Amino acid sequence: MTQAAEIGSASSGDDQGRRLVLADRREVVLRALRPEDDRLYPEFDSYVTDEDRRLRFLVALREIPQSQIFRLTHFDRRHARAYAAIAPQTGQLLGVGRVHQLSSDEGEYAVLVRSDLKGLGLGNALMDMVLEGARELGLRSVLGLILRENVNMIALCRELGFTFSMTSEANLVEARLRLD
Ligand SMILES: CC(C)(COP(=O)(O)OP(=O)(O)OC[C@H]1O[C@@H](n2cnc3c(N)ncnc32)[C@H](O)[C@@H]1OP(=O)(O)O)[C@@H](O)C(=O)NCCC(=O)NCCS
């Protein structure tokens, strides 16, 4: 098990961001993801291993394609929310969490943390933001498709109270959380 993050003083609102102190004492700002954050992605992606990229996107990718980066950063806030973890000193992107609406009451979430920063509490903090965002959207439940071997994400979801079910694909499990 990893050490949980210690939440530092929080200033309210996604625009200003929330300050967070990770388990290694590193300070991070969590804020809403902006369209112009697309330029931060290539450097962020260079710290993501092929394996973690596969766990996030469910397919093998040597890098996150530019077209995908555009879609991830240019989205309709009426139907989606996304959050960036930023290093305040350098402005580097350290992690991202998102949720988008699948139907009137259900959304799909995803999270990706820089591979060298895993296990410090960032994924947990991003998931908290994502669940808040899902509630803002008025969703009643969220779901995610997780590769069976992704024990970290399964453990994280279990801690958050998600339930798991099989899917038609043997290598995937569906994790679902009711928000009401
Ligand atoms: C899954 C992921 C988001 C977790 O982020 P993280 O910052 O490493 O996770 P945290 O440090 O916040 O840990 C949260 C929980 O995850 C689990 N976890 C994280 N690292 C773990 C490890 N090495 N071993 C076991 N459990 C682990 C634990 O339950 C942990 O809770 P704890 O801190 O109370 O022990 C991150 O590993 C990642 O980006 N993986 C690649 C992409 C991916 O799999 N995305 C999910 C698909 S949607």
Side-chain angles (χ1 to χ4, degrees), residues 19-38:
R19 288 150 51 84
L20 173 75
V21 180
L22 299 186
D24 67 350
R25 314 302 303 167
R26 180 193 305 258
E27 199 174 306
V28 167
V29 173
L30 295 176
R31 62 156 173 78
L33 188 76
R34 303 168 184 153
E36 61 269 27
D37 290 332
D38 57 359

Side-chain angles (χ1 to χ4, degrees), residues 1-4 52 55-56 109-114 117-125 145-146 150-153 155-156 159:
M1 287 296 240
T2 55
Q3 212 181 332
D52 281 347
L55 292 175
R56 160 65 180 88
Y109 68 89
V111 57
L112 178 62
V113 168
R114 237 171 70 167
L117 299 177
K118 291 195 304 184
L120 300 176
L122 199 46
N124 213 341
L145 291 173
I146 307 177
N150 195 350
V151 291
N152 293 351
M153 192 60 192
L156 171 53
E159 282 185 14

Side-chain angles (χ1 to χ4, degrees), residues 6-179:
E6 177 190 324
I7 305 291
S9 61
S11 52
S12 61
D14 293 343
D15 291 340
Q16 287 304 312
R18 292 178 193 185
R19 288 150 51 84
L20 173 75
V21 180
L22 299 186
D24 67 350
R25 314 302 303 167
R26 180 193 305 258
E27 199 174 306
V28 167
V29 173
L30 295 176
R31 62 156 173 78
L33 188 76
R34 303 168 184 153
E36 61 269 27
D37 290 332
D38 57 359
R39 64 190 162 78
L40 303 179
Y41 261 84
E43 197 251 8
F44 165 64
D45 194 27
S46 72
Y47 285 94
V48 175
T49 61
D50 289 349
E51 173 64 0
D52 281 347
R53 204 176 296 110
R54 185 180 72 84
L55 292 175
R56 160 65 180 88
F57 294 101
L58 311 180
V59 289
L61 293 171
R62 292 181 60 190
E63 57 182 23
I64 307 174
Q66 201 58 47
S67 55
Q68 180 97 325
I69 291 174
F70 187 86
R71 274 199 302 279
L72 292 171
T73 49
H74 295 71
F75 57 88
D76 184 346
R77 273 184 56 86
R78 287 174 302 176
H79 302 295
R81 292 285 189 275
Y83 303 94
I86 300 287
Q89 315 284 339
T90 61
Q92 286 173 300
L93 184 59
L94 308 179
V96 187
R98 60 182 289 106
V99 57
H100 68 269
Q101 214 166 342
L102 294 172
S103 66
S104 58
D105 58 2
E106 188 157 69
E108 184 172 2
Y109 68 89
V111 57
L112 178 62
V113 168
R114 237 171 70 167
S115 301
D116 58 327
L117 299 177
K118 291 195 304 184
L120 300 176
L122 199 46
N124 213 341
L126 283 165
M127 279 301 288
D128 282 348
M129 301 280 287
V130 163
L131 297 178
E132 260 183 55
R135 289 191 172 93
E136 271 174 33
L137 289 169
L139 302 178
R140 300 179 67 187
S141 61
V142 290
L143 69 83
L145 291 173
I146 307 177
L147 285 167
R148 270 181 193 284
E149 66 265 32
N150 195 350
V151 291
N152 293 351
M153 192 60 192
I154 291 172
L156 171 53
C157 288
R158 185 166 286 127
E159 282 185 14
L160 291 170
F162 279 74
T163 55
F164 300 90
S165 54
M166 318 272 277
T167 71
S168 53
E169 295 183 57
N171 61 338
L172 287 175
V173 291
E174 191 175 87
R176 180 177 269 106
L177 182 70
R178 292 201 62 84
L179 300 171

